[in-house]
Amino acid sequence: MSIIDLPKFDPPAIEALLEIVSDGVWFWHANTGYVYRSPGWYKMLGYDVHSLDGTVFTWETVIHPDDYQMVMEHFERYMKSLSEAYHLEYRCKTKSGDYILIEDKAFVVERNEDGSVARMIGAHRDIDAQERLNQHDKLLHQELQKTIDERTKELNKLNQELTAKIKQTELLARTDFLTTLSNRYNFEKSLSNEVSRAQRFNEPLSLMIFDLDKFKLINDLHGHAAGDEILISIGKLLRNEIREIDLVSRWGGDEFAILLPNTSLNDAFVVADKLRKRINSELNTVLDSASASFGVVELTKGESPSQLSVRADKALYKSKNAGGNQISSSLSA
């Protein structure tokens, strides 16, 4: 402790000062065992001023049982100079039987020749209200954080649902609702990209378009529901038969288109013939004379996506006009 010059106080002045101070100031004369406690100390705990014995035992009896050992250990360490300061918080019992949290801070002001404590001065300060306020603020913060976490969880869930709906909407925008194959709009976008890619890298690209011969007769004899089932089954068949890099689309009605990257016209004819036989087998379960007709073309140098589509369509009608159940090609649009 630093020593500073203080004015000399006579007993009446000291008594007046202790009356003014709201904290519970205490003086311990260890050699006599006498403990003086200021009026503020008694008022803090709800007792009449100087109504309790001026001994250390009075202090010990108001310490909360669960805090007692901790307080005594800290007190003894300080008296034996094993700790630099005496400063801690613990609970004290009031006259009403309730406990309040106090801050206890003290200094040894005089020691005996053997090093033991002769005099010690300290103060008890009521921090219960502040602690309750801190706990209240902590609880409010926890509740606020809980609310924020709940709202964040709800927003994340809504965001995930919205993202899923957006993905679903995007999927529906490029998918045929009946067969779940690519729709014509998405197919034409892919066709444009693949034509540019094939022209850029000088790679073969083939396109085939086919439709189902006598499909109208199937609808007339068995109903549109049966016709829809046929289209759905054709979609499943195509997904199982084509490569991962190929793109198959329901072109419209009973017409389908397949884009075959890095595939020559001859190889495309092989694929078309395989599909024709598989599709005919599927159709014959409903109508013996039903079949499929194909138009197959390979991209030529400088040809546009629309020109390629027109040639494939022309080749298809060439097969249809020849009686159906055939594979044809067209060299010009």
Side-chain angles (χ1 to χ4, degrees), residues 18 22 26 71 76 105 111 127 131-132 137 140 158 179-180 184 187 196 198 213 216 261 284-285 289 293 314 331:
L18 294 176
S22 59
W26 54 268
V71 175
E76 289 179 11
K105 189 174 183 180
R111 289 185 180 273
I127 60 172
E131 180 63 19
R132 290 179 186 273
D137 289 345
L140 284 179
L158 289 173
T179 63
T180 69
R184 183 163 183 167
F187 186 87
S196 297
D213 303 323
K216 184 178 182 301
N284 291 162
T285 60
S289 58
S293 295
K314 185 176 181 180
L331 298 179

Side-chain angles (χ1 to χ4, degrees), residues 106-134:
F107 296 98
V108 171
V109 294
E110 184 182 353
R111 289 185 180 273
N112 298 310
E113 291 183 2
D114 63 358
S116 61
V117 175
R119 288 189 300 138
M120 190 170 180
I121 184 171
H124 290 167
R125 185 165 66 93
D126 182 359
I127 60 172
D128 194 68
Q130 183 61 48
E131 180 63 19
R132 290 179 186 273
L133 181 61
N134 291 342

Side-chain angles (χ1 to χ4, degrees), residues 53-299:
D53 292 337
T55 63
V56 173
F57 180 72
T58 296
W59 170 54
E60 291 182 285
T61 58
V62 298
I63 299 174
H64 193 289
D66 292 342
D67 298 341
Y68 182 83
Q69 183 175 351
M70 176 267 294
V71 175
M72 290 301 114
E73 288 178 356
H74 187 68
F75 184 69
E76 289 179 11
R77 284 181 61 82
Y78 178 67
M79 286 197 302
K80 294 177 180 178
S81 300
L82 298 176
S83 61
E84 295 182 358
Y86 177 78
H87 187 192
L88 72 166
E89 297 173 0
Y90 54 90
R91 292 163 290 177
C92 284
K93 189 176 183 179
T94 65
K95 185 178 180 180
S96 65
D98 297 325
Y99 284 89
I100 62 170
L101 185 68
I102 63 105
E103 177 189 44
D104 190 4
K105 189 174 183 180
F107 296 98
V108 171
V109 294
E110 184 182 353
R111 289 185 180 273
N112 298 310
E113 291 183 2
D114 63 358
S116 61
V117 175
R119 288 189 300 138
M120 190 170 180
I121 184 171
H124 290 167
R125 185 165 66 93
D126 182 359
I127 60 172
D128 194 68
Q130 183 61 48
E131 180 63 19
R132 290 179 186 273
L133 181 61
N134 291 342
Q135 291 298 325
H136 179 68
D137 289 345
K138 182 179 180 181
L139 182 60
L140 284 179
H141 177 75
Q142 291 174 343
E143 290 296 326
L144 178 60
Q145 188 61 50
K146 181 180 178 182
T147 300
I148 292 173
D149 291 343
E150 289 175 350
R151 295 293 182 270
T152 301
K153 185 177 180 180
E154 291 174 3
L155 288 174
N156 287 337
K157 182 180 179 182
L158 289 173
N159 186 53
Q160 290 174 356
E161 291 175 353
L162 180 60
T163 301
K165 288 181 179 180
I166 291 174
K167 289 182 179 180
Q168 184 180 20
T169 301
E170 291 175 347
L171 179 63
L172 291 175
R174 62 177 186 266
T175 304
D176 174 63
F177 75 97
L178 182 63
T179 63
T180 69
L181 298 175
S182 169
N183 59 23
R184 183 163 183 167
Y185 170 74
N186 183 63
F187 186 87
E188 288 182 341
K189 284 178 60 179
S190 298
L191 174 63
S192 178
N193 293 335
E194 287 298 329
V195 166
S196 297
R197 181 179 178 279
Q199 299 280 18
R200 183 182 306 116
F201 296 108
N202 194 29
E203 293 180 348
L205 174 68
S206 293
L207 170 66
M208 70 173 67
I209 300 177
F210 71 89
D211 75 358
L212 308 180
D213 303 323
K214 301 181 181 179
F215 185 71
K216 184 178 182 301
L217 183 58
I218 292 176
N219 281 332
D220 292 341
L221 293 176
H222 301 283
H224 288 281
D228 287 346
E229 288 299 321
I230 286 293
L231 295 176
I232 292 171
S233 65
I234 294 299
K236 292 179 180 178
L237 183 153
L238 293 173
R239 273 193 295 271
N240 291 332
E241 295 294 333
I242 65 170
R243 301 170 303 177
E244 189 173 344
I245 64 171
D246 300 333
L247 178 64
V248 59
S249 167
R250 185 184 176 195
W251 199 246
D254 62 326
E255 198 169 330
F256 296 82
I258 302 177
L259 190 59
L260 303 164
N262 202 25
T263 304
S264 66
L265 182 63
N266 289 337
D267 290 338
F269 259 81
V270 173
V271 174
D273 190 52
K274 176 183 176 183
L275 291 176
R276 182 185 63 83
K277 293 175 181 177
R278 293 280 286 108
I279 291 170
N280 288 355
S281 177
E282 189 75 27
L283 293 173
N284 291 162
T285 60
V286 180
L287 185 67
D288 289 341
S289 58
S291 59
S293 295
F294 286 75
V296 181
V297 294
E298 181 182 350
L299 180 68

